[in-house]
Amino acid sequence: MDSDDTNTVTAEVCREDDVGDGELLEVMVAGYPVLLVRNRKEFSALGSKCPHYGAPLSKGVLRGERLRCPWHGACFNIRTGDIEEYPSLDCISCFKVTVEDGKVFVTAKKKDLENSLRVKDRSRRCLVNQNTMLLLGGGVAALVCAETLRQEGFTGRIIMATKEKHVPYDKSKLSKEMDLKAEEIYLRKPEFLDAQGIEFWTDKEAVSVDFQKQQVHFMDGSSQKYHQLLIATGSHSSFLKVPGADLQNVCVLQTPEDSSKILELATGKNLVIVGASFVGMEVAAFLSDKAGTISVVEREEFPFQHALGPQVGGVAMKMLQNKGVKFHMKSELCELKGKYGKVTEAVLGNGEKLPADVVVVGIGSTPSSAFLKGTSIARDDKGAILVDLHMQTNIPNVFAAGDVVSFPVALLNGDRTSIHHQQVAEAHGHVAALNMLKKEKELHTVPFFWTTLLGKSIRYAGCGKGYTDTVVKGSLEQQKFLIFYLKDGHVTAAASLNCDPMVSLIAEVLYLGKLISKEEAEACDIGNISSLAQT
């Protein structure tokens, strides 16, 4: 190794022949791991870890110049390191590669090796520019919109207004890691938003919008005019409608404070969870070794039945049953009873009574759009705002993104639906920002999400709504499987456990618009990523 100054190092990392075309190789430079990529005989060197959760990118999927993270589907351009698909908010560092006499050298600054994530360049706020972009919501859709506006050169005023008490945080961790403080799951610190010239208003709930005057009114009596508006108010947990639902210690999980409260109340006590979808199952998993007893009450026969189907739901159920969680499936909660105002018992439709010191309700969510009632904005019968692929509503200068919208989904032949995943909300926010700046960009993304139970992650990509057939590869019993969801003879989604990076590969194939037939799914070898690579 030689050094041209104290800040930059150059290291020989391998011989040219050591890396085949399309290969990903982790090498060491000054004691730090760097990802070496060879594509069409050209070398690139990049940060080796995904900035999202630190996944090793050497295990990822390379298609052309796009590198997809093996865990959660984030994509990076191998030439620039720029982020091309969420959920990561940041880019990765990119280093200089030279080849001399068949030897490959990487040159890098030490500070870039120490921290392989890179924040994209952005413009600064200019006080002369009085244009105001008002973003309602404090989640990832509004955050990505705000950051994209700055990255794309907008110098006017950006306001994010939210009823939350916190800057944007990683909501997916509220049920997966309930012992974390709010500050530990912040996606961006307040100082970061300040540095970007993004005004962040907390405890600021919108109560009405005057679309003609381009003005939003807030709960505290204030109002704000806008030039362009983004509605990204998300969704809220659906509430129980049974006698006793208003007793103390009947909880929903929406904020970091809710998460901490549930953990404290349930430790060593009798916990009843109503609903066996993602929130309910993740709470059951996290508290399985902390609560005294856990009972899950669900109308369907299996957990995740609508989203992941009975096969995956059955695997998840067995995992939790092995940890002592009791399931009451095809059951309905009909009443909660209490003493001194606190819940003590859950009564099921069949008359069975479950001891309940705390009840967690996870029975679905509702778009947070009630403040738009009586306006001319188009919403569906559930209250979701209708948008096109530009995230444009039916009202000029008004865009919407995230859980609050229903949008056309390519994998459903353009039919509209709502998809409540972090990555989708981020993609919405990005596209909305580009179109607020008149850049005429259509949404093009493959939904990607994951659920974590007892240290194991089930990954999912695509949109399997209305699927009519499945193909299972591997073993459900041994908890190592890949399952394809098919509609009209083609794959529209896939889920896996212990089969990385197969779901990322399938996401990339679907992203490229290629069809995977049932025969190709059946022929897929989960131990060999190249078996689908030619699809």
Side-chain angles (χ1 to χ4, degrees):
M1 180 184 297
D2 62 87
S3 173
D4 49 16
D5 63 48
T6 54
N7 298 316
T8 304
V9 292
T10 299
E12 181 187 337
V13 293
C14 66
R15 293 198 59 80
E16 191 175 8
D17 297 340
D18 293 342
V19 189
D21 201 41
E23 201 173 324
L24 306 169
L25 179 68
E26 194 169 283
V27 297
M28 300 302 288
V29 176
Y32 294 98
V34 165
L35 182 68
L36 191 67
V37 184
R38 193 172 192 183
N39 182 48
R40 294 181 184 153
K41 298 187 179 174
E42 281 191 29
F43 285 98
S44 301
L46 308 151
S48 68
K49 287 187 167 58
C50 179
H52 179 232
Y53 282 0
L57 292 174
S58 60
K59 308 286 187 195
V61 173
L62 181 66
R63 276 298 176 91
E65 294 185 353
R66 271 167 68 93
L67 174 61
R68 191 178 278 267
C69 166
W71 290 358
H72 306 125
C75 295
F76 304 91
N77 184 293
I78 59 170
R79 283 179 178 270
T80 63
D82 284 354
I83 179 81
E84 291 191 350
E85 183 60 278
Y86 300 96
S88 174
L89 291 171
D90 293 309
C91 307
I92 48 177
S93 296
C94 204
F95 310 115
K96 183 183 174 187
V97 183
T98 50
V99 181
E100 292 174 24
D101 300 326
K103 298 172 184 175
V104 181
F105 297 87
V106 173
T107 301
K109 290 181 178 173
K110 281 185 181 173
K111 66 177 176 62
D112 294 334
L113 290 168
E114 288 165 9
N115 182 13
S116 64
L117 72 79
R118 175 175 60 81
V119 177
K120 215 168 185 180
D121 291 341
R122 58 195 182 271
S123 56
R124 293 185 177 277
R125 169 84 172 96
C126 173
L127 296 175
V128 177
N129 186 344
Q130 289 298 301
N131 275 353
T132 298
M133 304 290 201
L134 178 57
L135 319 179
L136 300 181
V140 290
L143 175 65
V144 169
C145 180
E147 291 197 27
T148 303
L149 288 169
R150 284 284 180 250
Q151 290 162 3
E152 294 292 326
F154 179 69
T155 59
R157 192 178 183 194
I158 301 174
I159 303 167
M160 285 177 70
T162 175
K163 66 177 185 180
E164 293 260 9
K165 293 176 168 50
H166 301 282
V167 292
Y169 54 85
D170 188 344
K171 288 200 170 180
S172 70
K173 287 191 174 176
L174 292 182
S175 50
K176 293 178 173 77
E177 298 180 62
M178 301 175 73
D179 53 353
L180 297 176
K181 294 184 176 70
E183 295 75 19
E184 294 177 271
I185 58 172
Y186 282 177
L187 293 169
R188 296 300 195 201
K189 293 193 169 104
E191 308 87 77
F192 180 94
L193 299 175
D194 285 345
Q196 294 227 355
I198 297 166
E199 297 175 49
F200 194 82
W201 297 353
T202 54
D203 294 306
K204 200 84 167 170
E205 185 174 357
V207 290
S208 66
V209 185
D210 185 328
F211 291 118
Q212 282 201 309
K213 291 183 178 174
Q214 299 200 166
Q215 191 169 32
V216 175
H217 298 274
F218 296 98
M219 182 82 81
D220 61 8
S222 65
S223 61
Q224 176 62 50
K225 282 190 165 287
Y226 63 84
H227 290 90
Q228 303 214 58
L229 176 69
L230 176 78
I231 302 170
T233 42
S235 60
H236 58 271
S237 298
S238 300
F239 298 108
L240 269 182
K241 293 173 183 169
V242 299
D246 56 349
L247 286 165
Q248 284 182 51
N249 298 349
V250 177
C251 310
V252 293
L253 178 51
Q254 298 199 131
T255 67
E257 288 75 21
D258 294 336
S259 193
S260 302
K261 178 185 172 187
I262 292 165
L263 173 59
E264 185 182 339
L265 289 173
T267 300
K269 299 292 178 62
N270 299 309
L271 168 65
V272 172
I273 297 170
V274 186
S277 197
F278 299 102
V279 168
M281 292 293 282
E282 289 176 356
V283 168
F286 187 81
L287 296 176
S288 62
D289 59 350
K290 299 171 185 69
T293 67
I294 300 179
S295 303
V296 178
V297 180
E298 168 60 55
R299 289 179 179 179
E300 303 291 345
E301 190 175 354
F302 293 99
F304 310 134
Q305 186 145 330
H306 291 298
L308 299 178
Q311 292 147 310
V312 178
V315 171
M317 192 156 121
K318 276 185 191 162
M319 286 168 70
L320 292 184
Q321 282 172 328
N322 290 339
K323 295 288 282 184
V325 176
K326 299 278 190 295
F327 284 86
H328 302 265
M329 306 307 281
K330 295 166 85 172
S331 298
E332 202 147 349
L333 180 75
C334 69
E335 186 180 1
L336 293 172
K337 293 185 174 179
K339 280 183 186 168
Y340 313 115
K342 287 186 179 177
V343 70
T344 56
E345 192 174 64
V347 184
L348 305 187
N350 62 4
E352 192 175 354
K353 295 174 180 177
L354 307 174
D357 300 308
V358 56
V359 174
V360 175
V361 181
I363 53 171
S365 56
T366 305
S368 298
S369 66
F371 70 99
L372 299 168
K373 201 171 178 182
T375 68
S376 55
I377 199 164
R379 296 187 296 159
D380 68 13
D381 56 358
K382 292 176 184 165
I385 300 168
L386 303 180
V387 293
D388 62 16
L389 287 173
H390 294 92
M391 311 317 296
Q392 171 80 55
T393 69
N394 62 314
I395 295 172
N397 302 317
V398 179
F399 298 79
D403 288 9
V404 79
V405 308
S406 180
F407 67 102
V409 178
L411 289 164
L412 299 177
N413 295 320
D415 288 350
R416 291 176 189 275
T417 194
S418 296
I419 296 179
H420 295 187
H421 304 326
Q422 177 183 331
Q423 171 267 332
V424 171
E426 291 175 73
H428 284 179
H430 178 73
V431 170
L434 295 175
N435 288 298
M436 289 164 101
L437 297 174
K438 310 286 191 287
K439 299 209 173 192
E440 295 298 316
K441 179 76 173 174
E442 286 197 348
L443 179 72
H444 178 43
T445 190
V446 171
F448 200 114
F449 77 91
W450 63 100
T451 185
T452 303
L453 304 172
L454 308 172
K456 295 185 174 180
S457 286
I458 297 170
R459 315 204 193 283
Y460 180 99
C463 187
K465 187 178 179 182
Y467 74 91
T468 52
D469 198 4
T470 58
V471 171
V472 179
K473 307 296 295 184
S475 167
L476 294 165
E477 291 72 28
Q478 291 174 21
Q479 295 176 16
K480 182 181 173 66
F481 64 82
L482 172 66
I483 179 166
F484 294 91
Y485 302 87
L486 295 100
K487 189 177 180 184
D488 300 328
H490 289 101
V491 172
T492 58
S496 78
L497 179 60
N498 288 322
C499 280
D500 293 339
M502 292 305 294
V503 167
S504 281
L505 172 60
I506 292 156
E508 195 60 16
V509 173
L510 294 175
Y511 179 87
L512 294 169
K514 297 182 178 177
L515 297 175
I516 304 172
S517 67
K518 184 174 182 179
E519 293 72 30
E520 285 168 322
E522 287 172 336
C524 172
D525 176 0
I526 61 171
N528 179 12
I529 187 173
S530 62
S531 66
L532 261 181
Q534 301 309 312
T535 301

